[in-house]
Amino acid sequence: MAIVIVTLDLMSGRAGRRGKDERGICIIMVDERMEMNTLKDMVLGKPAPLVSTFRLSYYSILNLMSRAEGQFTAEHVIKNSFHQFQYEKALPDIGEKVSKLEEEAAVLDASGEAEVAGYHNLKLEMAQLEKKMMKEITRPERILYYLCTGRLIKVREGGTDWGWGVAVNVVKKPTAGLGTLPSKGGGYIVDTLLHCSPGPSESGSRPRPCPPRPGEKGEMHVVPVQLPLICALSKVRISIPADLRPLEARQSILLAVQELGNRFPEGLPKLNPVKDMKIEDPEIVELVNQIEELEQKLHAHPLHKSQDVNQMKSFHRKAEVNHEIQQLKSKMRDSQLQKFREELKNRSRVLKRLGHIDADGVVQVKGRAACLIDTGDELLVTELMFNGTFNDLDHHQVAALASCFIPVDKSSEQIQLRTELAKPLQQLQESARKIAEIQYECKLDINVDEYVESTVRPFLVDVVYCWSKGASFSEIIQMTDIFEGSIIRSARRLDEFLNQLRAAAHAVGEVNLESKFAAASESLRRGIMFANSLYL
């Protein structure tokens, strides 16, 4: 049974059309298991703040290049964007924070500051190099072999240091693990025994895991950890019980980890990327050499074995405050322009490799087609248009293949592909992989497998194909577990996408393709899928 709540609101999504309706009716279907506080927040809570997610897409780059006849400047676009407006609006707050930090730095003990600052700078430099090195090491193709059961791994999530944990298992999942970071580890999750706070939540349910507070007796729990959150790999492996469900079994692992910490007061021995992991990448070899040199300098520094803990804490805090002041001042001086300049340069390389622009930045025929497509992935769909994939298909197959570009709820059922759709889908996936690899080679932050998975969504291929060939709505909803409303919404977006493809084909003189896209669009526009709104 579900509870139905009707609320009146002037703006609830699209419940109420601006300038036409005085009010909108929003119906929320709520499961009875939902907690009352959560429901209250949904109905009466404050709306989420409006934060710019401005990004340079290939669509926007090509259109601006086309209109500027090749003379494209990122500065004009960024300076006039909402993103830059929000950035500049935050500067007074940053200035106030700098003032407070400068006041704090002024009252901290300054005796022997130069010597301690040098020591602290060495530690900061080494931490930055280690972070850079771990970013390369935690790529799935490099790290998975060493994440065997019992391996000690160190986990850091943002500013939270979890310390050393024990790897239990590695699984490939699209869902997010510990932390809110987007998955950049190829979808791999490391089930890890970590020292967690045992405290229950107010509702009695298991809270989000967090490290124990100082003096708190924690418990070892298996926590899903994304690859980018691993900040160190130890040479040490320990044996773990086959059954980790009993608390005693997990606590024995905690005692073993603590004992290892006592045995290695200078820190657990770490895997050397070059000597132990056999990585021969020149960049990583250079990073390892730099880290080893810094370690020697740190051990030779007179403050390395200092016993004055309070004085060291004061020195470290002052160094941290001064470092943060410099970072904030740098942020105040620098705009986001440099970041976007670098991204623009890399994306321009991609466009040149794929033939959308020439060496002088002039938009070519393929680029003119991509300028008209913003509903689906413009690079991928133009690649299909120009490599002949669409030429060998009838308009029903075209409609089905085009549905892969439309975002839709993921089906939990096994996709049943007809013979006439299997080859086009394979060509689509191969083209997607080729484009992803080119973007990666052009130094864009992209995971090839994730790009293919997120760009090619074949969950409605068979449904759209049957609908295009005349099947009834009652027949196609039996073919998938995707919600009926989602099917209708996707079909309408697909129609919009096909019209964009038709316009793109017309712009480059592809008459046959233009007719095929038009026929595919027409085959969809019938029945409840395209019934007029109840408001009309």
Side-chain angles (χ1 to χ4, degrees):
M1 175 180 173
I3 304 168
V4 180
I5 296 179
V6 179
T7 64
L8 301 183
D9 199 331
L10 290 176
M11 290 185 71
S12 290
R14 293 189 179 180
R17 297 170 298 175
R18 186 169 51 192
K20 293 182 179 289
D21 302 315
E22 294 181 359
R23 67 181 185 180
I25 299 177
C26 179
I27 301 175
I28 308 174
M29 303 297 291
V30 182
D31 192 286
E32 66 269 14
R33 291 173 295 181
M34 178 174 286
E35 295 181 3
M36 187 55 65
N37 287 338
T38 305
L39 181 59
K40 185 178 178 181
D41 287 341
M42 286 176 61
V43 178
L44 302 176
K46 292 182 179 180
L50 186 62
V51 179
S52 171
T53 56
F54 174 80
R55 66 185 185 90
L56 283 173
S57 66
Y58 293 106
Y59 171 81
S60 60
I61 292 172
L62 285 168
N63 273 281
L64 286 162
M65 277 184 165
S66 179
R67 291 171 187 174
E69 297 181 354
Q71 301 303 312
F72 174 75
T73 59
E75 285 84 351
H76 175 76
V77 178
I78 298 166
K79 283 179 180 178
N80 292 279
S81 68
F82 181 53
H83 174 91
Q84 187 68 7
F85 168 77
Q86 286 192 317
Y87 171 78
E88 292 172 357
K89 187 179 179 182
L91 291 181
D93 295 334
I94 297 175
E96 184 179 347
K97 189 173 182 180
V98 168
S99 299
K100 289 181 178 178
L101 288 170
E102 286 175 340
E103 291 175 5
E104 182 183 352
V107 299
L108 289 171
D109 186 5
S111 59
E113 182 179 344
E115 189 175 24
V116 176
Y119 179 70
H120 190 72
N121 286 336
L122 284 175
K123 294 188 74 173
L124 281 175
E125 187 180 352
M126 191 161 87
Q128 290 170 356
L129 289 174
E130 286 180 336
K131 183 178 179 181
K132 186 176 180 181
M133 183 179 70
M134 287 307 298
K135 185 178 180 181
E136 294 297 322
I137 291 176
T138 51
R139 290 165 131 190
E141 64 269 22
R142 287 174 173 161
I143 195 174
L144 290 181
Y145 177 79
Y146 296 94
L147 290 175
C148 40
T149 301
R151 172 81 64 191
L152 267 69
I153 61 176
K154 198 169 188 180
V155 178
R156 179 181 292 276
E157 182 192 14
T160 303
D161 187 356
W162 284 83
W164 290 98
V166 183
V168 177
N169 187 32
V170 180
V171 291
K172 193 174 192 309
K173 294 182 180 178
T175 54
L178 174 65
T180 56
L181 296 176
S183 176
K184 295 182 180 179
Y188 288 95
I189 300 294
V190 186
D191 289 332
T192 309
L193 276 167
L194 290 175
H195 195 196
C196 301
S197 173
S201 65
E202 294 179 1
S203 62
S205 61
R206 177 80 195 155
R208 185 182 185 279
C210 63
R213 294 179 290 274
E216 182 181 27
K217 185 179 180 181
E219 299 173 354
M220 291 295 267
H221 288 282
V222 177
V223 179
V225 174
Q226 296 178 13
L227 295 185
L229 300 185
I230 299 174
C231 62
L233 286 172
S234 173
K235 291 182 179 180
V236 179
R237 290 176 57 190
I238 62 175
S239 60
I240 60 176
D243 188 358
L244 291 172
R245 287 173 295 180
L247 178 60
E248 296 77 10
R250 300 196 304 273
Q251 292 304 85
S252 67
I253 300 298
L254 174 59
L255 293 175
V257 174
Q258 291 173 340
E259 175 60 29
L260 284 169
N262 296 330
R263 192 183 303 174
F264 298 98
E266 293 290 326
L268 297 183
K270 299 177 184 178
L271 281 177
N272 186 296
V274 178
K275 297 176 183 176
D276 300 320
M277 300 177 72
K278 308 302 181 185
I279 299 175
E280 299 177 353
D281 188 304
E283 184 178 354
I284 293 181
V285 173
E286 178 61 25
L287 282 171
V288 170
N289 292 335
Q290 290 176 4
I291 290 171
E292 289 177 349
E293 288 178 11
L294 284 174
E295 283 179 339
Q296 292 175 4
K297 291 180 181 179
L298 275 171
H299 285 89
H301 200 283
L303 292 177
H304 185 65
K305 295 182 179 180
S306 174
Q307 300 300 316
D308 192 343
V309 178
N310 291 329
Q311 188 183 35
M312 286 294 294
K313 283 183 178 178
S314 177
F315 290 153
H316 285 166
R317 177 57 189 159
K318 184 156 189 175
E320 287 172 356
V321 169
N322 286 330
H323 178 72
E324 190 173 355
I325 289 171
Q326 293 304 316
Q327 292 288 97
L328 290 171
K329 285 184 175 179
S330 176
K331 187 175 181 181
M332 292 173 70
R333 287 193 302 268
D334 299 334
S335 174
Q336 301 289 294
L337 290 176
Q338 185 56 41
K339 169 189 170 185
F340 281 104
R341 283 195 194 104
E342 187 66 24
E343 184 183 353
L344 174 66
K345 182 173 69 174
N346 294 337
R347 289 187 181 273
S348 295
R349 287 198 193 105
V350 174
L351 292 173
K352 288 174 185 175
R353 288 274 301 272
L354 291 172
H356 289 264
I357 59 176
D358 63 13
D360 298 320
V362 178
V363 178
Q364 303 299 296
V365 175
K366 190 186 282 189
R368 292 206 304 271
C371 280
L372 298 170
I373 300 166
D374 67 348
T375 298
D377 188 291
E378 59 272 31
L379 295 187
L380 180 52
V381 75
T382 49
E383 195 66 24
L384 298 181
M385 288 177 63
F386 282 80
N387 69 11
T389 298
F390 286 126
N391 294 341
D392 301 328
L393 308 178
D394 61 31
H395 67 275
H396 303 300
Q397 292 171 300
V398 166
L401 191 64
S403 72
C404 296
F405 290 86
I406 307 301
V408 67
D409 300 333
K410 191 171 182 178
S411 172
S412 59
E413 295 183 353
Q414 183 69 30
I415 300 171
Q416 301 295 329
L417 277 181
R418 299 167 187 268
T419 305
E420 56 267 38
L421 298 176
K423 184 179 178 181
L425 181 59
Q426 182 182 357
Q427 290 175 314
L428 172 59
Q429 291 170 329
E430 289 172 354
S431 296
R433 183 166 294 277
K434 170 191 170 185
I435 289 173
E437 288 170 349
I438 288 174
Q439 292 184 84
Y440 181 79
E441 291 166 6
C442 292
K443 299 184 178 180
L444 284 167
D445 186 11
I446 189 171
N447 181 286
V448 174
D449 291 332
E450 286 179 8
Y451 177 86
V452 175
E453 185 177 345
S454 64
T455 307
V456 182
R457 310 176 187 92
F459 308 114
L460 288 178
V461 167
D462 206 41
V463 170
V464 170
Y465 183 71
C466 292
W467 176 260
S468 176
K469 297 198 79 172
S472 67
F473 190 70
S474 60
E475 289 173 335
I476 65 167
I477 62 175
Q478 301 301 320
M479 299 168 59
T480 180
D481 60 351
I482 295 176
F483 185 58
E484 291 90 333
S486 297
I487 296 175
I488 293 174
R489 182 174 66 249
S490 299
R492 287 175 174 268
R493 290 197 65 181
L494 175 57
D495 179 58
E496 177 187 346
F497 181 50
L498 287 168
N499 283 324
Q500 289 180 0
L501 294 181
R502 182 175 62 177
H506 176 77
V508 297
E510 290 284 349
V511 179
N512 291 335
L513 274 182
E514 182 183 356
S515 300
K516 196 172 289 187
F517 291 137
S521 172
E522 187 62 32
S523 70
L524 301 178
R525 301 180 62 81
R526 62 182 177 84
I528 192 174
M529 290 276 206
F530 289 85
N532 288 331
S533 168
L534 297 177
Y535 284 106
L536 300 178

